[in-house]
Structures are given as structure tokens and as C-alpha cells.
Amino acid sequence: GINLALEQDFNVKVIAMEKDKDPADVVSQNPDDWQKAIEQAKEIMAFYFDTALNSFDSTTPQGKKQIAEALLSQIKKISNNILQFHWVQKLSSILNVSEESILQEIKKIKPDSERKTRYNESNVPVASFADITPTQVKLRRILLAERMLGSILQHKESRELINDDLVSVCPANIASILCALKQNQEQGLDQYLKKIFDNCAFQSEIDESDEPEKEVKLCSNFLIKLSLQSQLKDISEKIKQEEQKSDSKILIFLIQQFNELVKQVKS
């Protein structure tokens, strides 16, 4: 989701969470803490840079190499040339090397589409779906759904895009708000949902989009694909289990399901 957002020139931010804390639980237990975390959100590239610099020694040749390896692929994903060059300059300054050297290394990086995909024994692509943790999925869903809701509030006509399929892939609280918006009944939201509604409205004013309708469609597509990826992860785990058994009919059925979902993700 983050890679696609960077490629689409979204302003992506990261919310710092305490270890083992689930964003959905924080929202449900104490919305004020979630609001505070949102206000302290850090731009994604600044987060990547901080993480790399805290992990490796920028004063040694090996440390510089490790920092470059951690950051160059992320810089390459930025579609906006001005923003991309800003981070090239920053990395150049940190590593004390020329900007030309940074740019040359970026050119060597292959696009994601050219990288090899992992396959299981049945030649079914499993990619990295199994590597996505439940917490990561929940966090992505929350961020995308809140971003989409903010864009809908910016562009009232976008309410027409709200349908059952979209509501079904959103977190429960955002889904309830979307249903209310669809029926023009947002005034009847309870205190908890009203707080989320107001926060998304406030956030949309800060990060006002030039094309809110386009952003609604992008976020909804990401949410649907994220849901499909979660299903793929579940099925890939079932495939691994069935490979240990002798019932080939179930395995064939699961592989067919998997392939159908892969087609939907790619579409």
C-alpha cells in the first residue's frame, strides 16, 4: 500500500506505536490517544531516514553502504522528481558523497515488476502475502479508510462511490460512518463516531487534495486489494497445510481460489 501511495504522489505519513500495540485497539479504547498519535505522525521518508540512521553508523564505509541499501529503493519509488531529488540531496549530505553517485546507484535498482516472485511447489505465486502481519494489515486499513473518508468529506459528490463492496473492506467504525454518509444521516452519529468523523474532516483540511474524487477511488482500490491480499494469505496457509495431506481435491480447489484472487489483485 505504501509503495503504491508513493508512486501515486500521496503525502504518506507514519504513526509511531508502542511495541505490541494494535492501532484498532487504541482507537476503540482511547480515541484521544489515537488523535495525539495522528498529530505527531511523521512523513514516511523522514521515518525511513531516521530508522536507517539509528540502525547503522554513517561514519564508516560499511555503515554508509547499509544506509544506502536501506534508503535508495525507497527514494526510487517517489514519483515526484522535486521530492525525489530533495531526498537524494539529503542522503548525499549524510553520506558525504556526490549527488551524482546517489543517482547512479538509484539507476541500478530494478523496478518491483522485474523482481522475481516466489512460487510454491504447485507453481502458484505467493509473493510476500504471508509476510504481512495482522497488525500491519489493520494499520493500513485504518490509514487508508481515514484518508478516503477525509476525501469524501472534501468532495460531497464522492458519496455516490460508497457501495456495499467498499463498506465491507473498511474498519467497522469507518464503515458505519460511510453508511451514514450514504444516507445523509451523519448528524445522527454517536459521540465516538462523531469524534472520528471530525478528526478525518480536520485532517482533510490540513492535507487538502487537489483531486479528492481521484483520491477516493485510489484509496478504495487499495482497500479492496488489501482485503484480497489478506484472503490470499489465508489461502496460502491452507495450501501449505493441505500439501502435507493426501486429499488432492481440496488442494486443487484452494489453488483455483488462490489464482482467482491473484487475478483480482492484478486487475
Side-chain angles (χ1 to χ4, degrees):
I2 290 176
N3 292 343
L4 289 172
L6 287 172
E7 290 166 6
Q8 293 295 332
D9 203 18
F10 277 18
N11 180 20
V12 185
K13 294 185 178 180
V14 173
I15 295 174
M17 301 289 298
E18 293 180 22
K19 188 178 180 181
D20 298 327
K21 276 279 188 177
D22 190 308
D25 292 337
V26 174
V27 173
S28 60
Q29 293 169 9
N30 195 332
D32 287 337
D33 285 351
W34 183 247
Q35 171 64 31
K36 193 178 297 183
I38 289 174
E39 291 171 357
Q40 296 172 350
K42 183 177 293 187
E43 186 176 351
I44 186 70
M45 287 306 301
F47 170 78
Y48 286 147
F49 267 73
D50 287 349
T51 301
L53 292 174
N54 288 331
S55 303
F56 308 113
D57 185 356
S58 62
T59 63
T60 67
Q62 180 62 20
K64 289 181 179 182
K65 181 175 180 289
Q66 291 170 316
I67 290 170
E69 288 173 348
L71 297 175
L72 289 175
S73 61
Q74 302 303 330
I75 294 174
K76 185 180 179 69
K77 291 168 188 169
I78 301 172
S79 61
N80 185 290
N81 290 333
I82 295 173
L83 278 178
Q84 187 182 64
F85 192 65
H86 164 79
W87 294 108
V88 167
Q89 288 179 313
K90 186 174 180 66
L91 184 57
S92 167
S93 175
I94 290 170
L95 301 182
N96 195 26
V97 298
S98 69
E99 293 160 5
E100 289 75 14
S101 298
I102 302 292
L103 292 169
Q104 285 298 320
E105 290 301 312
I106 288 176
K107 287 180 182 178
K108 295 178 184 178
I109 300 173
K110 292 182 179 180
D112 289 342
S113 60
E114 295 180 18
R115 293 176 186 170
K116 291 183 178 179
T117 303
R118 289 185 289 133
Y119 289 81
N120 62 14
E121 291 177 2
S122 303
N123 205 36
V124 178
V126 297
S128 57
F129 297 126
D131 301 327
I132 302 173
T133 67
T135 299
Q136 286 175 319
V137 172
K138 285 184 179 181
L139 179 56
R140 291 179 188 179
R141 285 180 69 217
I142 290 170
L143 293 176
L144 282 168
E146 289 185 348
R147 179 85 181 193
M148 181 183 67
L149 176 57
S151 296
I152 289 174
L153 297 177
Q154 268 187 263
H155 189 256
K156 195 170 183 179
E157 288 76 9
S158 295
R159 296 184 186 201
E160 297 177 5
L161 299 174
I162 301 173
N163 55 39
D164 292 342
D165 288 339
L166 179 57
V167 170
S168 69
V169 296
C170 288
N173 49 15
I174 301 295
S176 297
I177 295 172
L178 290 176
C179 289
L181 286 174
K182 182 72 173 175
Q183 300 167 12
N184 294 313
Q185 295 178 351
E186 59 267 32
Q187 298 303 322
L189 294 172
D190 62 34
Q191 187 176 2
Y192 167 60
L193 293 178
K194 185 68 167 62
K195 202 159 192 174
I196 297 173
F197 179 96
D198 290 342
N199 173 65
C200 290
F202 174 72
Q203 199 66 30
S204 71
E205 291 175 6
I206 296 176
D207 299 325
E208 187 172 356
S209 171
D210 294 330
E211 299 179 284
E213 186 175 7
K214 180 181 177 183
E215 190 154 313
V216 169
K217 291 178 180 178
L218 284 170
C219 287
S220 65
N221 286 338
F222 291 162
L223 281 165
I224 291 169
K225 287 193 175 184
L226 192 59
S227 175
L228 291 171
Q229 288 174 351
S230 294
Q231 294 177 57
L232 280 169
K233 179 186 175 183
D234 291 340
I235 293 178
S236 67
E237 288 299 319
K238 291 178 182 177
I239 288 173
K240 289 178 183 177
Q241 293 171 10
E242 291 301 326
E243 284 176 336
Q244 308 301 318
K245 302 176 183 178
S246 57
D247 194 339
S248 60
K249 289 183 179 180
I250 295 177
L251 183 59
I252 291 171
F253 174 71
L254 288 171
I255 291 173
Q256 288 173 341
Q257 276 191 314
F258 190 96
N259 287 334
E260 285 301 316
L261 287 171
V262 169
K263 290 177 184 176
Q264 292 181 53
V265 169
K266 290 181 178 178
S267 64

